[in-house]
Amino acid sequence: MTTTAAPTPWPTSDQVIAALGTMQDRDDLHPNWRSVLGRLRQDAERHTALRAARELLHRERQTLAGETDAGRPRPSGALAVFDAIAKVGELETMALCRYVCCGQAALELVATGGAPASWSEPLPGERPRLDGDEQPLPPEPGGMPGDLRVPEALADAPGVDLLHVALRQFNAITAAEDEWEELFGCNDYCADYEDGCGGGPHIPEHMIDEAREIEREMDRAPEYLADYADAAAWTLTHGLRDRLRPTVGAQGPRGGES
């Protein structure tokens, strides 16, 4: 009789951070891997704190939007909080990009059977790529190093099921984008407009609620990116932790640390 392994329960952010801290302190790991786990933990803590701050500010803005002063609305307070939300959101995105890129870089290295060459230098691909405005670019699923992927050497390894689940979530975004284009994008009727259709979207009034539901799925990329980062960190500290031990003859910390 064949049995199927039970799926790994999804960890909370606090559980991921605690696991990273526990693994970082273990003396049976390669010392340079301990440093990587330490950086990964800092990224996870920073992202978690900023996400909580943004959510708190959202609730505060909703409260202020409903307050009145002598029967008049108080937009100044709400606008100030709205500005703070935008600034915290930028910091949150930067922290999330660092977190997920560090996790993916560690997975790529584990897949080769190697260990970090330095205690202090970042892994190849650990630093996020930047756009023309020097803002970090969130990675996306793909098949190349640096993309969000389970490296081929780890694809069938035990303990990586969370990574596969996290990657499948992005398929929902692609499906929502396709559905949006099919339902509300330009179509054959647009050619009948003498002055053009304006480029869309073309949302009938009776489909507004459906459009909003599809938009909500399309906007979940940051949420799924955070899930993937947590999955990578959890996989490194659980399913792949035996691969973080030093090999015979491995050197101690390098890159300025002794």
Side-chain angles (χ1 to χ4, degrees):
M1 182 179 69
T2 60
T3 58
T4 302
T8 303
W10 200 275
T12 65
S13 295
D14 288 342
Q15 288 174 324
V16 171
I17 291 170
L20 287 168
T22 299
M23 286 291 290
Q24 180 190 358
D25 294 336
R26 289 179 56 156
D27 58 8
D28 61 339
L29 300 186
H30 189 289
N32 293 352
W33 271 124
R34 293 207 305 270
S35 177
V36 172
L37 294 178
R39 297 198 299 273
L40 197 58
R41 181 187 182 187
Q42 290 176 349
D43 292 337
E45 289 175 332
R46 187 178 295 111
H47 171 252
T48 299
L50 288 167
R51 179 171 56 186
R54 176 179 53 80
E55 292 171 351
L56 180 62
L57 286 167
H58 268 298
R59 291 193 294 270
E60 182 66 14
R61 182 169 67 89
Q62 292 170 352
T63 300
L64 286 172
E67 288 186 3
T68 59
D69 182 12
R72 295 174 298 175
R74 296 173 54 192
S76 58
L79 288 175
V81 175
F82 186 82
D83 185 56
I85 290 173
K87 292 179 180 178
V88 171
E90 291 178 1
L91 294 174
E92 181 188 357
T93 298
M94 294 174 63
L96 178 56
C97 287
R98 287 195 297 265
Y99 181 25
V100 72
C101 286
C102 184
Q104 185 64 46
L107 291 173
E108 300 287 352
L109 183 56
V110 168
T112 69
S118 170
W119 173 271
S120 56
E121 292 298 317
L123 302 175
E126 181 175 338
R127 289 175 175 165
R129 291 173 293 178
L130 304 177
D131 63 16
D133 296 322
E134 298 298 308
Q135 297 300 310
L137 288 169
E140 297 180 350
M144 300 296 292
D147 295 335
L148 303 183
R149 65 172 194 153
V150 182
E152 185 176 354
L154 301 177
D156 298 322
V160 300
D161 55 315
L162 281 187
L163 287 171
H164 292 294
V165 172
L167 284 173
R168 284 198 294 269
Q169 291 185 142
F170 287 95
N171 294 337
I173 296 177
T174 300
E177 292 171 344
D178 292 343
E179 184 178 9
W180 172 271
E181 185 61 30
E182 181 180 352
L183 291 176
F184 309 120
C186 293
N187 50 53
D188 294 339
Y189 294 103
C190 296
D192 296 335
Y193 291 99
E194 183 177 346
D195 297 326
C197 67
H202 309 294
I203 305 176
E205 186 174 353
H206 70 280
M207 297 184 72
I208 290 177
D209 289 342
E210 184 173 354
R212 288 174 177 168
E213 184 63 31
I214 298 174
E215 288 171 350
R216 277 192 287 270
E217 188 61 55
M218 292 167 59
D219 291 340
R220 295 181 74 177
E223 175 186 338
Y224 293 155
L225 196 61
D227 283 347
Y228 183 84
D230 283 345
W234 192 258
T235 300
L236 288 166
T237 57
H238 288 74
L240 301 177
R241 60 185 172 190
D242 288 343
R243 302 179 184 228
L244 308 185
R245 292 175 174 157
T247 57
V248 176
Q251 296 181 357
R254 294 170 58 190
E257 295 287 338
S258 60

